Amino acid sequence: MALVEVKVPDIGDFDEVAVIELMVKVGDAIKAEQSLITVESDKASMEIPSSAAGVVKELRVKLGDKVKQGSVVLVLEASGAPSAQTAALPVASPITTTPASVVALPPVSSQVAAAVVVAPVSSAAQAHSPGALTLGLPHASPSVRKFARELGVPLEEVKGNGPKGRISQDDVQAFTKAVMAGSTQTKAQAAMAPAGGDGAALGLIPWPKVDFAKFGPIERKEMGRIKKISGANLLRNAIMIPAVTNHDDADITDLEAFRVSTNKENEKSGVKVTMLAFLIKACVAALKKYPEFNSSLDGDAIVYKNYWHIGFAADTPNGLMVPVIKDADKKGILQISQEMGELAKKAREGKLSPAEMTGATFTISSLGGIGGKYFTPIINAPEVAIMGVCKSTHEPVWDGKQFVPRLMLPLSLTWDHRVIDGAAAARFNAYLGQILGDFRRVLL
């Protein structure tokens, strides 16, 4: 069998795009058109498919690499001829919100602030001519329709340049290139992002335009990709969610002593237990007792999730990202601490995969290592609540006879009033405080 180099096809007018996910490894048997890697521009992400079937003999890219048209992705021991269709264009998919997540989001996600995640990205061609008679369907062949579905392209918004407005594969390809360039918006994106971002679509007065240079020296820097993505999601969440925040304090004096002793006992393991690991486990217990906090809105229905994936905000040089601890209910404190350390390191190095920033059911944003007292974190949709924690401080607490010094942890629970009411939020915080005060309650 012949060795075949699988290369990055024409992805539009881009010098380089970043590899953010590897979907195959050496030794894998793959099919023609199977996705190999995910690449991302400032505007969208897309999957690069294989132009042939075979066995992966060598990977020529790694996470974080920059690639462009013609870059070799991998070497295959081919078992069939290349696919003409996929050789022409990769399967592309706009960045979408998750859960998650992330852009995230996250963080986007993300997410992501709390998750790095964004609205569907747009296409480039003008909308299909509304004057043409389409009988409810765009004028295109079944193969072109299939091609558009694989690319995630809204065919009804593509302008056909063939006879009688017929949409060709070239039209879909041009549309996809423009998605990556972000030169225009789809109807879905336009509906979610007000024109110009100035609030006009919300009936607000225009955003002030000021020539700051006339007042003194200035320096202009373009926002990074993560901040652009997370900023759009934060704005949407802040506007659309009727959010309320409850502030409380939890006595963690005994828990902190236990944490310190645990770290001394496990010095050789290299795993450092943080208070956030205990908080994740405590939040899982509270989420199980009050399941509405582990839910999401879906139209007029509430979806209750029977899994507990906890996102935690990680501060990175590129912005805030939200890795997710999956199935936190099934993991112990040491395992959660180890996984948190690994995910936080990957976040700082820009190596988090989309899968590691999506799927969160509840998020914790911790400023404990920095300071502060209370704050109002923004909910990471489609979640319905987020917990913010600040730096713990020693405070005098009345024990019935005298004031004694206790280590108090500030808690700020923001919740979606469409799903949760004030009484439930107060109970959730009170129960969480009880667990942090006596961690044996986790076993109950």
Side-chain angles (χ1 to χ4, degrees):
M1 297 184 181
L3 294 179
V4 175
E5 290 184 336
V6 178
K7 301 180 179 181
V8 177
D10 184 2
I11 56 175
D13 188 21
F14 292 96
D15 292 333
E16 290 183 328
V17 289
V19 177
I20 62 169
E21 185 176 13
L22 300 176
M23 301 180 178
V24 296
K25 61 183 182 298
V26 174
D28 283 356
I30 62 173
K31 301 176 182 179
E33 302 186 19
Q34 179 177 334
S35 296
L36 305 175
I37 62 174
T38 302
V39 298
E40 187 172 52
S41 72
D42 286 343
K43 300 295 183 180
S45 65
M46 67 190 306
E47 295 176 3
I48 304 297
S50 178
S51 55
V55 177
V56 179
K57 290 299 180 183
E58 182 184 356
L59 272 175
R60 295 282 183 88
V61 297
K62 60 183 182 298
L63 286 177
D65 280 357
K66 301 285 188 178
V67 296
K68 58 184 178 180
Q69 181 179 352
S71 297
V72 178
V73 176
L74 52 77
V75 177
L76 278 182
E77 186 177 271
S79 58
S83 162
Q85 180 166 304
T86 54
L89 186 71
V91 174
S93 60
I95 304 175
T96 57
T97 18
T98 75
S101 71
V102 181
V103 66
L105 66 132
V108 200
S109 293
S110 96
Q111 100 117 84
V112 172
V116 180
V117 284
V118 300
V121 200
S122 66
S123 62
Q126 297 177 357
H128 190 65
S129 173
L133 181 61
T134 61
L135 297 179
L137 291 173
H139 189 26
S141 67
S143 62
V144 171
R145 293 181 190 282
K146 179 177 183 292
F147 186 48
R149 285 196 301 272
E150 291 172 346
L151 298 176
V153 169
L155 201 58
E156 67 277 3
E157 297 184 36
V158 178
K159 180 182 178 182
N161 291 303
K164 299 182 180 179
R166 187 178 183 85
I167 300 171
S168 66
Q169 185 167 308
D170 288 341
D171 295 327
V172 177
Q173 182 173 345
F175 188 97
T176 306
K177 288 180 182 179
V179 168
M180 295 296 289
S183 55
T184 61
Q185 292 185 326
T186 59
K187 293 177 181 177
Q189 186 187 16
M192 297 185 71
D198 61 2
L202 299 175
L204 305 177
I205 62 174
W207 192 265
K209 294 183 179 181
V210 180
D211 179 10
F212 300 104
K214 71 181 182 181
F215 301 111
I218 65 170
E219 181 182 2
R220 182 181 178 88
K221 291 184 179 180
E222 293 299 320
M223 291 178 65
R225 177 180 60 84
I226 291 176
K227 285 191 175 181
K228 288 180 182 178
I229 293 172
S230 61
N233 284 277
L234 289 170
L235 176 61
R236 177 201 60 200
N237 297 348
I239 291 174
M240 297 187 65
I241 298 175
V244 183
T245 304
N246 283 39
H247 301 293
D248 282 285
D249 294 316
D251 187 338
I252 59 168
T253 310
D254 297 336
L255 185 57
E256 173 62 9
F258 176 67
R259 185 191 73 82
V260 172
S261 65
T262 300
N263 280 333
K264 288 182 179 179
E265 294 170 2
N266 290 276
E267 278 182 325
K268 295 182 180 179
S269 70
V271 178
K272 184 179 179 180
V273 178
T274 65
M275 185 56 65
L276 183 55
F278 286 103
L279 187 59
I280 287 174
K281 201 67 179 175
C283 282
V284 169
L287 292 170
K288 286 186 173 183
K289 185 173 180 66
Y290 300 101
E292 61 266 42
F293 289 83
N294 202 57
S295 69
S296 287
L297 272 175
D298 185 12
D300 293 330
I302 299 176
V303 178
Y304 293 89
K305 301 158 195 171
N306 294 319
Y307 53 90
W308 292 267
H309 301 342
I310 308 300
F312 65 97
D315 189 18
T316 77
N318 297 319
L320 205 60
M321 305 185 75
V322 183
V324 180
I325 303 289
K326 303 291 177 65
D327 297 315
D329 59 310
K330 301 175 183 177
K331 298 173 180 176
I333 297 297
L334 293 177
Q335 186 178 356
I336 290 174
S337 296
Q338 181 177 1
E339 193 171 329
M340 281 174 54
E342 293 169 353
L343 289 172
K345 181 181 178 183
K346 292 175 74 173
R348 290 190 296 270
E349 295 173 350
K351 295 181 178 180
L352 281 176
S353 69
E356 291 170 321
M357 295 187 289
T358 57
T361 60
F362 185 83
T363 296
I364 300 172
S365 180
S366 174
L367 302 178
I370 302 173
K373 186 63 176 175
Y374 303 104
F375 68 108
T376 302
I378 297 176
I379 296 170
N380 178 30
E383 298 162 36
V384 296
I386 180 172
M387 175 61 70
V389 294
C390 290
K391 189 175 182 178
S392 56
T393 57
H394 283 94
E395 298 179 8
V397 177
W398 183 255
D399 68 357
K401 296 181 180 179
Q402 59 184 344
F403 284 101
V404 293
R406 305 296 291 180
L407 185 62
M408 307 302 291
L409 178 69
L411 304 176
S412 299
L413 176 69
T414 299
W415 40 279
D416 188 334
H417 212 333
R418 295 173 298 178
V419 179
I420 299 162
D421 58 35
R427 292 187 186 101
F428 183 96
N429 260 7
Y431 184 68
L432 183 63
Q434 290 173 4
I435 293 174
L436 295 172
D438 184 352
F439 213 73
R440 293 173 296 180
R441 292 176 180 272
V442 168
L443 302 175
L444 300 178

